[in-house]
Amino acid sequence: MFSIFPTARLRPSPFYESAVKAGMDSASVYNRMIMPTSYGDPEAEYWRIINGVSMWDVGIERQVQLEGPDALKLAQLLTPRDLSNCAEGQGKYAPICNHDGILLNDPIILKFSDELVWLSIADSDIWYWARAIGAERGLNVRVSEPDVSPLAVQGPKAENVVSELIGDWVKDLKYFWFKETSLNGIPLVVQRSGWSKQGGFELYLKDGSRGTELWDLVAEAGKPYDIGPGAPATPERVESGLVSVGGDSDDTTNPYEVRLGGYVNLEVPDDVVGIKALRQLHADGIKRHQLGVVLEGDTPDPMGFAWEPIEVNGKVVGSMTICVFSRRMNKNIGYALISRDVAPGDTVIVQRARGPVPGVVQELPFL
Ligand code: THG
């Protein structure tokens, strides 16, 4: 057993002390912050997300704030997703690529106005990237990190909890739309979002000194619905087909390979970073694609630390990038980043730590 030692370089979120008190017993590092990953009962935590309601410290979803006359302009330069139809109060899931069309991140972009935009980022240093691109393009924009920390409320009963806590109006929020509000004077942004397919909201706390207060309010409002602490649940997100950029992708992966091509608009202006490369990649066609793989056997055997080779006829054709035990399918299921020569229905061999395991590939999502 070991414990994590929070420092300025390994930042705890404003909910950290609450998470520890709630029984956090494992954590990961994401965006150079501590991300709680379990509270000691993974099975109960899983079913709470599927059937009930769960609250997650996701302060690791750090915000990159773009502010000033060219804020939206910079946001559009950073993503090949067309933002021209993004309304104020609307969020959009958007890939960020480098000049070669390689995936760097997949934030939710929140547009407050043409002059104020947040990138709610996945695990890479987009702060540097945004500031560099803005400066190199001579834009009038300030790039900073605001005092903002998301707390996710996820699961089929999340709407009951959040509407009773914040107000019935949250029921009218469409997917990824958001509103600024306050709760007992705690400044918040409330968005219908979250890294699960079970429904829910994220409460973006705008005052880091009030994390414990917000945590306690949510826990109290959730009591009638048996709310409990949880974390972005890898088994659920794999069943649901959500991509983890940096987990399921590496520094050669483009959006088309991991089913994010739908979020690339090839007609965005030529000055969008990576768009020329993406047009070329689209025209050439991809060599790898992302499929699901269902492994033989029903004994839980989740993945270790590294991608595992996938073979067909003794030849390596790709990698299994994540594998979890699905309690709803009673199977070990994973993602394959694999040659286009392999198609749904094909049988493959995954070289696992305990030896080779046969599996069948299929389209995602699983559920
Ligand atoms: N919430 C917030 N910030 C985040 C995440 C989040 N930053 C990091 C990470 N998660 C960003 N990645 C994703 C990946 C997928 C989704 C959201 C954020 C997602 N995808 C849906 C899907 O793929 O089916 C819907 C996408 C769509 O249709 O637009 O929800 O969770 N604040």
Side-chain angles (χ1 to χ4, degrees):
M1 217 29 219
F2 68 98
S3 63
I4 289 177
F5 193 76
T7 67
R9 283 185 296 105
L10 181 55
R11 198 171 80 187
S13 90
F15 312 114
Y16 178 75
E17 284 173 12
S18 299
V20 170
K21 220 193 257 170
M24 172 179 114
D25 81 337
S26 78
S28 182
V29 174
Y30 192 98
N31 277 325
R32 286 171 289 108
M33 290 181 65
I34 299 164
M35 174 171 73
T37 54
S38 181
Y39 292 80
D41 190 348
E43 178 151 11
E45 288 161 37
Y46 171 81
W47 289 116
R48 207 178 270 146
I49 294 165
I50 304 298
N51 296 326
V53 54
S54 177
M55 56 190 289
W56 308 351
D57 168 8
V58 282
I60 48 89
E61 294 166 353
R62 290 169 72 155
Q63 310 306 304
V64 177
Q65 178 168 282
L66 315 180
E67 200 183 7
D70 291 332
L72 187 64
K73 192 167 176 190
L74 177 57
Q76 182 64 87
L77 291 178
L78 292 172
T79 178
R81 181 161 190 187
D82 180 18
L83 300 179
S84 64
N85 59 356
C86 187
E88 293 187 358
Q90 187 177 11
K92 280 195 188 254
Y93 179 47
I96 292 181
C97 296
N98 72 11
H99 299 78
D100 299 321
I102 303 300
L103 257 179
L104 297 180
N105 204 292
D106 62 334
I108 294 169
I109 295 182
L110 291 85
K111 176 178 159 181
F112 291 84
S113 73
D114 286 0
E115 306 205 354
L116 182 64
V117 176
W118 289 353
L119 315 178
S120 183
I121 59 169
D123 187 17
S124 67
D125 286 309
I126 292 306
W127 185 94
Y128 298 130
W129 180 255
R131 188 174 271 198
I133 300 289
E136 290 290 323
R137 302 289 176 99
L139 300 185
N140 187 356
V141 59
R142 209 152 50 81
V143 178
S144 63
E145 178 168 25
D147 175 4
V148 173
S149 308
L151 180 67
V153 186
Q154 297 289 295
K157 295 178 183 163
E159 190 172 84
N160 300 69
V161 176
V162 176
S163 63
E164 284 169 29
L165 188 64
I166 309 269
D168 266 342
W169 59 266
V170 304
K171 293 180 181 170
D172 299 326
L173 280 177
K174 287 178 281 182
Y175 204 65
F176 286 151
W177 287 66
F178 61 88
K179 255 204 176 100
E180 294 195 70
T181 186
S182 69
L183 176 64
N184 291 2
I186 306 173
L188 298 176
V189 170
V190 180
Q191 183 179 38
R192 190 184 288 274
S193 56
W195 209 54
S196 84
K197 282 296 213 182
Q198 307 310 315
F201 296 84
E202 289 176 298
L203 315 179
Y204 294 73
L205 169 66
K206 294 217 297 177
D207 177 351
S209 72
R210 304 185 75 174
T212 303
E213 212 180 322
L214 179 61
W215 178 283
D216 289 344
L217 285 165
V218 173
E220 189 60 33
K223 259 192 191 147
Y225 302 97
D226 213 14
I227 201 169
T234 306
E236 191 282 336
R237 75 97 179 164
V238 173
E239 292 170 337
S240 300
L242 294 175
V243 177
S244 174
V245 168
D248 306 317
S249 65
D250 63 13
D251 58 5
T252 68
T253 309
N254 69 60
Y256 298 108
E257 293 176 313
V258 287
R259 300 177 298 121
L260 299 182
Y263 305 109
V264 174
N265 299 109
L266 293 174
E267 67 284 5
V268 294
D270 287 355
D271 57 0
V272 169
V273 175
I275 193 60
K276 289 176 186 162
L278 288 162
R279 289 179 190 141
Q280 193 63 49
L281 286 165
H282 184 259
D284 292 347
I286 50 173
K287 296 183 182 57
R288 301 185 294 186
H289 58 168
Q290 187 181 50
L291 294 175
V293 53
V294 180
L295 298 178
E296 207 175 274
D298 52 15
T299 310
D301 189 17
M303 203 165 83
F305 305 127
W307 289 12
E308 296 175 355
I310 299 178
E311 297 176 356
V312 172
N313 296 329
K315 195 171 143 242
V316 175
V317 290
S319 304
M320 186 167 72
T321 64
I322 182 71
C323 180
V324 297
F325 184 70
S326 165
R327 294 174 202 276
R328 283 182 289 174
M329 295 168 65
N330 211 36
K331 288 280 175 200
N332 292 294
I333 59 170
Y335 288 177
L337 186 56
I338 197 167
S339 163
R340 283 291 292 276
D341 296 340
V342 182
D346 288 356
T347 297
V348 298
I349 300 290
V350 183
Q351 292 295 353
R352 307 220 64 192
R354 65 177 170 85
V357 179
V360 176
V361 294
Q362 64 160 80
E363 296 284 1
L364 289 167
F366 291 102
L367 297 177

